[in-house]
């Protein structure tokens, strides 16, 4: 994992250094919050940053490792980040004081781009004997990366279902090691539906992995608590066993600070949406996805720069996507 993290950091720096600069022109540096470098999502931010640095003149994006969406949003509020990995549902909850952000005052998050459907998988080792969510009662279990939306969502799921595992907060890397060493039976992880998660693949080198499924009754109980989420099918063959598991999810992507000007955001969105194939070479989760179309379906406020690009491409947006600061 350390080698992979080092490779990604070097890749990010090389991308910055490789971008030809206009003679005498100073580049504007923007900070991009990602997630844990051990997460399968980290390469997405690296790949998008490379595209921005290559195709948007005068901009130098620097990717930084963070505690994922929750941490990204807190840092965005403090003006420390211009971008942060996050789902459209996360942006909605943060800016409307709903769900896991109920009672919290978030103002600066807008959708930059949606990248792919995201699911939150509740993964366990096959040898643990856990075959359904209720079996986690009293078992040692990590709800997700400490301080992340994944962790908060897992708490909400267990609360709505009346399940009380022995919760052990940790980083993704620590959870992987603990699962391998049988110190926990599993953990919750945000991932894409069309490719296996790298952290769970790491676990699978030592222990067979099983993805737990929400029953129809459990789905109803969860949606009564967090109705803005949906449920998606996960092909269990991605993790080496048959069938389909149903788990909670939404559309993932990147949030942007509302303080960033619309012209800059427009150029960045255009570069990302029109160079998806380049991103897909590093991050398989976006392969075959029309990024502009998916972004046009986001259930949250879009940045005015994103709106400009989508309207230019002919998409019709609804009023729930238009933030209060938008001007025609």
């Amino acid at each position: 994992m350390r080698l992979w993290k080092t490779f990604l950091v070097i890749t990010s720096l090389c991308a910055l250094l490789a971008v030809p600069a206009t003679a005498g022109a100073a580049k504007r540096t923007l900070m991009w919050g990602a997630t844990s470098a051990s997460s399968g999502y980290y390469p997405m931010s690296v790949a998008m940053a490379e595209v921005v640095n290559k195709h948007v003149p005068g901009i130098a994006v620097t990717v930084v490792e963070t505690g994922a969406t929750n941490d990204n949003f807190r840092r965005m509020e403090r003006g420390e980040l211009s971008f942060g990995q996050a789902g459209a549902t996360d942006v909605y909850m943060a800016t409307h004081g709903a769900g896991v952000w109920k009672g919290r005052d978030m103002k600066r998050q807008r959708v930059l781009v949606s990248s792919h459907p995201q699911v939150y998988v509740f993964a366990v080792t096959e040898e643990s004997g856990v075959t359904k969510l209720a079996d986690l009662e009293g078992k040692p279990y990590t709800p997700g990366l400490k301080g992340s939306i994944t962790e908060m969502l897992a708490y909400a799921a267990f609360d709505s279902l009346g399940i009380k595992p022995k919760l052990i907060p940790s980083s993704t890397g620590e959870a992987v090691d603990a699962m391998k060493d049988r110190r926990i039976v599993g953990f919750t992880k945000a991932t894409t539906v069309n490719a296996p998660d790298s952290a769970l693949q790491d676990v699978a080198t030592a222990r067979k992995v099983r993805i737990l499924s929400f029953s129809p009754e459990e789905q109803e109980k969860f949606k009564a608590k967090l109705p803005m989420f949906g449920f998606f099918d996960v092909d269990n063959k991605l993790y080496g066993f048959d069938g389909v598991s149903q788990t909670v999810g939404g559309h993932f992507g990147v949030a942007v600070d509302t303080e960033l000007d619309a012209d800059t955001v427009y150029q960045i969105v255009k570069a990302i949406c029109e160079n998806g194939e380049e991103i897909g070479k590093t991050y398989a989760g976006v392969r075959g996805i029309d990024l502009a179309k998916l972004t046009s379906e986001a259930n949250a406020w879009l940045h005015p720069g994103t709106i400009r690009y989508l309207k230019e491409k002919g998409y019709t947006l609804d009023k729930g996507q238009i933030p209060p600061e938008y001007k025609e």
Side-chain angles (χ1 to χ4, degrees):
M1 291 311 239
R2 289 196 185 98
L3 289 174
W4 173 235
K5 178 177 177 180
T6 302
F7 168 76
L8 290 170
V9 172
I10 291 173
T11 301
S12 298
L13 292 174
C14 288
L16 290 174
L17 295 172
V19 180
T22 302
K27 283 184 173 289
R28 181 183 181 188
T29 301
L30 299 174
M31 306 306 290
W32 182 303
T35 181
S36 166
S38 61
S39 169
Y41 277 172
Y42 191 88
M44 183 189 82
S45 284
V46 172
M48 287 186 175
E50 288 177 352
V51 162
V52 173
N53 291 334
K54 179 179 178 181
H55 295 282
V56 182
I59 295 295
V61 173
T62 299
V63 176
V64 295
E65 183 180 11
T66 68
T69 300
N70 191 31
D71 188 25
N72 291 338
F73 282 8
R74 288 199 302 264
R75 295 192 193 189
M76 200 173 288
E77 285 294 312
R78 297 195 295 264
E80 298 172 4
L81 298 175
S82 294
F83 311 94
Q85 287 187 188
T89 301
D90 300 321
V91 173
Y92 175 88
M93 290 189 292
T95 55
H96 290 74
V100 297
W101 269 287
K102 187 174 182 179
R104 300 169 69 186
D105 191 23
M106 297 283 183
K107 300 182 183 299
R108 298 174 63 157
Q109 298 74 26
R110 301 292 184 265
V111 173
L112 175 76
V113 66
S114 292
S115 55
H116 54 76
Q118 170 183 264
V119 289
Y120 298 87
V121 294
F122 291 68
V124 296
T125 59
E126 188 177 78
E127 67 184 51
S128 70
V130 174
T131 60
K132 57 184 183 296
L133 289 164
D135 291 341
L136 291 174
E137 181 74 27
K139 301 286 197 311
Y141 185 87
T142 293
L145 175 63
K146 190 173 182 180
S148 69
I149 294 303
T150 302
E151 181 187 50
M152 297 167 71
L153 183 140
Y155 289 152
F158 293 137
D159 182 60
S160 68
L161 302 178
I163 300 169
K164 295 182 179 180
K166 180 181 178 183
L167 296 173
I168 303 175
S170 69
S171 70
T172 301
E174 290 168 342
V176 168
D177 290 340
M179 199 166 166
K180 285 181 175 180
D181 297 341
R182 300 187 179 93
R183 286 178 281 125
I184 60 174
V185 298
F187 62 91
T188 305
K189 181 69 173 63
T191 186
T192 178
V193 296
N194 58 359
D197 181 79
S198 62
L200 294 177
Q201 282 183 307
D202 191 356
V203 173
T205 62
R207 306 273 174 261
K208 287 187 177 180
V209 173
R210 178 186 301 279
I211 306 300
L212 301 180
S213 186
F214 282 70
S215 69
E217 295 78 13
E218 289 169 337
Q219 291 181 34
E220 288 183 14
K221 289 179 180 179
F222 180 89
K223 286 184 70 65
K225 190 174 185 68
L226 294 174
M228 64 286 298
F229 284 95
F231 281 83
F232 293 78
D233 290 342
V234 176
D235 185 352
N236 293 333
K237 289 181 181 177
L238 292 173
Y239 300 99
F241 62 104
D242 294 331
V244 171
S245 295
Q246 288 196 314
T247 193
V248 63
H251 285 166
F252 194 59
V254 183
V256 59
D257 187 353
T258 188
E259 297 295 316
L260 192 58
D261 66 279
D263 287 343
T264 298
V265 171
Y266 166 82
Q267 293 180 63
I268 290 171
V269 172
K270 181 180 175 69
I272 291 172
C273 288
E274 296 182 4
N275 293 280
E277 289 186 6
E278 287 186 42
I279 298 168
K281 291 176 182 177
T282 299
Y283 181 66
V286 304
R287 292 175 190 168
I289 292 177
D290 185 331
L291 299 180
K293 182 177 185 299
L294 196 68
T295 303
S296 75
E297 299 168 356
N299 63 338
W301 286 338
L302 306 172
H303 192 284
T306 300
I307 293 172
R308 175 182 161 191
Y309 176 74
L310 293 176
K311 286 191 171 184
E312 185 179 275
K313 299 297 289 184
Y315 291 100
T316 300
L317 305 175
D318 64 48
K319 63 180 182 180
Q321 297 171 297
I322 308 300
E325 70 273 12
Y326 179 74
K327 302 286 191 298
E328 287 283 359

